[in-house]
Amino acid sequence: MSVEKKLIKDKIPKHIAIIMDGNGRWAEKNGKERTFGHENGVESVRSVVEGAGEIGVQYLTLYAFSTENWGRPKLEVDALMGLLVQSISNETVELMKKNVRLQVIGDVKSLPENVQCKLNWCIDTLKNNTGLTLVLALSYSSRWELTDAVRRIAEDVQQEKIKTDDIDKDLIDSYLNTAGMPDPELLIRTSGENRISNFLLWQIAYSELYFTPVLWPDFRKEDLFKAIYDFQHRERRFGKTSEQLMS
Ligand code: FPP
């Protein structure tokens, strides 16, 4: 029986986040430039978006470009930005057919003008869709997001829009880029690295972590289903005991 068929239908995570890693190593293994790995990573994105939509995941957040990635060689950064624009142009019709919406988290204003333009166009085109929301983390890092949220909260306290006593978990949630989204129940990282790398640090407080050695360009929806299968067989206790969960 395929892993997909073994999935428990009413236990599909509402939100899955993925750290797509290993493009460079995949390219090296194939004797090619790093950008070749990124290009092939697009097919993996296509496959997981399709798979997540098919089984009813509501939000899929992909770490496509971190704040720290700006420090990579200019050639690679330019190639990644170009790939992004090209992928959006090529995929929007397909995303429309699949009833997918698009959202972006991160410091969007730091992205090149043409990337911002393409993203806004795609978000607008897909805005009335009701299926999966694909969330691209671009120029994103958790510390950037939290710093930005703290700054805006402080400003709103100063302007007396809120009081310091109003600051609680829900208020902080509402100042994050992920406001309105459920926290990810499952975080996947490919390529055998066991790190979080500044991704959704606040939101993954109770997420299940799944690390796989598969390099991102080799990752397909079947690998996503395998991760979900594993997730469905874990006991999530949220600080409680097993006995409390039974009662
Ligand atoms: C990490 O691999 C991957 C990235 C920094 C970029 C991810 C981008 C894509 C998959 C392509 C475009 C995305 C979309 C959404 C269309 P790495 O370069 O760090 O690999 P390494 O650790 O092996 O060097």
Side-chain angles (χ1 to χ4, degrees):
M1 207 205 283
S2 71
V3 195
E4 183 180 1
K5 293 224 167 68
K6 285 199 237 164
L7 295 179
I8 307 161
K9 298 282 172 295
D10 57 3
K11 231 179 141 186
I12 300 292
K14 286 192 181 67
H15 185 174
I16 299 175
I18 307 183
I19 303 174
M20 309 182 285
D21 196 13
N23 293 354
R25 276 163 283 166
W26 187 89
E28 202 177 311
K29 243 179 51 181
N30 288 281
K32 297 276 171 55
E33 295 291 320
R34 296 177 57 78
T35 49
F36 184 70
H38 300 316
E39 284 157 19
N40 280 273
V42 176
E43 186 53 42
S44 311
V45 172
R46 207 174 282 135
S47 179
V48 293
V49 168
E50 187 173 279
E54 280 165 5
I55 59 166
V57 174
Q58 292 177 11
Y59 292 88
L60 177 69
T61 300
L62 303 179
Y63 206 4
F65 193 85
S66 72
T67 308
E68 290 73 23
N69 286 154
W70 289 116
R72 291 195 175 191
K74 186 175 178 316
L75 220 64
E76 186 173 343
V77 171
D78 290 348
L80 275 167
M81 293 298 146
L83 196 55
L84 201 61
V85 169
Q86 191 195 326
S87 304
I88 296 167
S89 300
N90 294 344
E91 304 297 328
T92 304
V93 171
E94 201 50 44
L95 293 172
M96 191 71 184
K97 278 192 208 153
K98 294 195 172 104
N99 197 20
V100 174
R101 277 192 307 169
L102 181 71
Q103 216 170 309
V104 176
I105 58 171
D107 187 11
V108 182
K109 287 193 189 74
S110 68
L111 297 168
E113 203 69 42
N114 66 325
V115 176
Q116 291 187 44
C117 251
K118 254 293 173 278
L119 283 168
N120 287 334
W121 168 77
C122 185
I123 292 169
D124 194 58
T125 308
L126 306 178
K127 68 170 186 267
N128 293 324
N129 288 346
T130 53
L132 172 76
T133 300
L134 170 63
V135 183
L136 293 183
L138 290 168
S139 192
Y140 174 88
S141 78
S142 216
R143 287 177 175 175
W144 167 81
E145 181 187 37
L146 288 165
T147 308
D148 178 66
V150 170
R151 192 176 294 126
R152 285 186 292 113
I153 291 171
E155 276 166 13
D156 285 353
V157 169
Q158 208 169 30
Q159 293 171 16
E160 296 182 0
K161 289 185 189 158
I162 52 170
K163 300 193 219 37
T164 42
D165 277 354
D166 295 336
I167 301 172
D168 58 9
K169 182 201 166 288
D170 289 346
L171 183 122
I172 295 172
D173 275 338
S174 75
Y175 278 76
L176 298 178
N177 286 193
T178 49
M181 297 181 204
D183 286 340
E185 289 108 310
L186 173 63
L187 171 74
I188 299 170
R189 182 174 189 146
T190 60
S191 90
E193 305 292 348
N194 300 341
R195 288 188 293 275
I196 303 300
S197 301
N198 217 348
F199 192 42
L200 301 173
L201 296 178
W202 171 274
Q203 297 88 337
I204 60 164
Y206 283 101
S207 303
E208 292 297 324
L209 309 182
Y210 180 88
F211 299 104
T212 167
V214 177
L215 302 175
W216 180 251
D218 287 330
F219 197 89
R220 290 293 178 272
K221 62 180 168 183
E222 290 73 23
D223 299 290
L224 176 74
F225 299 151
K226 250 190 246 172
I228 299 173
Y229 180 83
D230 186 275
F231 163 86
Q232 291 185 333
H233 293 83
R234 295 188 190 182
E235 184 185 63
R236 305 188 73 208
R237 292 210 297 269
F238 302 97
K240 298 194 171 149
T241 66
S242 288
E243 291 71 26
Q244 283 176 305
L245 292 177
M246 306 276 199
S247 61

